[in-house]
Amino acid sequence: MVFIDLDVRIERMFGSSIAALFERGEPEFRARERLALTSLVAEPGFSGSGAVVATGGGTVGDPSNLAAIQAVGISVYLRVEIATLVDRLTREDERARRPLLVGDGVGDVDLAARLTELLALREPAYARASATVDGGAEVAVIVAEITEAITRSQ
């Protein structure tokens, strides 16, 4: 399957890093994110192509984004415990790529508290996914559950 990282597409389309786009404000970034996703799903041959698209955590917070995704395929929420996310995001290079997880220059962000806050805000949107899979499981289990969700949706 073809793998598409929506953040990479955004950076290529707009010639700027995600962090730099966020410096213009989250609403500006979200508008560009919506445009990148809309243009992707509108590409001839995309629907039914079997591509896997990785979105950022806030993408489906915009109901039109989730509708666009579900119009051409299924959405999968990889649910992961906060402690696991903290472990995965403790490397500075990982956090630096995620503007909502870096400090304001005055003090460091409490990563667990920030992730908990973001999850509370986003959980209602995540709950609308076509399938929910334990993203903390072994890779083989995650793949099997996603494959099963795809099979059920056909």
Side-chain angles (χ1 to χ4, degrees):
M1 296 183 142
V2 173
F3 175 78
I4 300 163
D5 185 317
L6 189 60
D7 283 349
V8 171
R9 182 178 176 90
I10 293 165
E11 289 177 339
R12 287 184 180 153
M13 281 181 70
F14 299 103
S16 186
S17 70
I18 298 300
L21 291 170
F22 256 93
E23 287 176 7
R24 301 177 190 162
E26 187 172 356
E28 176 72 19
F29 170 77
R30 296 295 173 200
R32 290 171 188 252
E33 177 182 60
R34 185 179 324 104
L35 181 60
L37 179 64
T38 302
S39 69
L40 174 64
V41 300
E43 286 181 5
F46 179 80
S47 182
S49 68
V52 174
V53 180
T55 66
T59 304
V60 297
D62 179 337
S64 66
N65 287 344
L66 181 57
I69 292 166
Q70 292 182 325
V72 297
I74 70 165
S75 57
V76 177
Y77 168 31
L78 296 174
R79 182 176 38 220
V80 180
E81 297 296 323
I82 297 295
T84 302
L85 289 173
V86 168
D87 286 343
R88 291 178 181 176
L89 294 168
T90 53
R91 292 194 333 257
E92 221 25 66
D93 61 326
E94 280 300 314
R95 286 180 72 177
R97 294 180 38 241
R98 302 170 195 311
L100 294 177
L101 299 181
V102 294
D104 57 9
V106 176
D108 287 336
V109 170
D110 178 332
L111 188 55
R114 181 65 177 142
L115 290 168
T116 300
E117 176 187 352
L118 287 170
L119 184 58
L121 292 170
R122 295 172 174 177
E123 189 71 39
Y126 294 167
R128 295 192 309 262
S130 306
T132 299
V133 172
D134 178 4
E138 295 293 322
V139 172
V141 173
I142 295 169
V143 170
E145 289 184 19
I146 292 172
T147 302
E148 182 181 321
I150 292 169
T151 302
R152 279 194 315 262
S153 73
Q154 297 174 339

